[in-house]
Structure formats: C-alpha cells, structure tokens
Amino acid sequence: MSKTILITGASSGIGKALALAYAKPNITLLITGRNETRLNETVDKCQIQGAHVTACIVDVTEKKAMHEW
C-alpha cells in the first residue's frame, strides 16, 4: 500500500528527521524547505532509501506560495 506524506521544514531539524524516518519504498514524500542546497540533500537521502520525492522551495509563512504549491 502506498502512502503520501507532506512534510514542511524538511531541509533541516525535525522536518528533515521526519522525512528520513518515513522514506522507504511505496512512500511518496512531498517536502518543503527554505534552503535549496539542504533540501536537495534531503531529497537525495530519501530517494536512496526508496521513497518517491517531490520537493519545493517555499516558506510556509507565505500563504499564497503554499496555496500555489
């Protein structure tokens, strides 16, 4: 059974830890963060663990940007 999980703040801290903890086959992660370099590192690590990952550089305090994403 596949699951989709959205995680904000996945470029560092708790958000990154959650992304890495959930990353495995049959999991789709939708992750956001503000730091492109660190977010890309999270994407790479999650994909190595077998997850399908879609990432977006967005600040969750920007309501319009979050809505558009």
Side-chain angles (χ1 to χ4, degrees):
M1 173 195 232
S2 89
K3 293 185 180 183
T4 300
I5 302 166
L6 183 137
I7 300 171
T8 61
S11 57
S12 65
I14 294 171
K16 182 175 184 172
L18 285 170
L20 294 172
Y22 283 115
K24 59 185 173 184
N26 297 319
I27 297 292
T28 297
L29 296 174
L30 307 174
I31 63 175
T32 68
R34 294 180 295 164
N35 183 293
E36 185 174 9
T37 301
R38 293 190 317 220
L39 188 62
N40 287 335
E41 290 171 4
T42 303
V43 169
D44 292 343
K45 289 179 180 181
C46 291
Q47 288 176 334
I48 288 169
Q49 292 177 212
H52 173 75
V53 184
T54 299
C56 182
I57 304 299
V58 63
D59 185 335
V60 297
T61 64
E62 295 179 20
K63 186 176 179 178
K64 185 176 187 254
M66 283 298 292
H67 177 75
E68 288 173 357
W69 184 64

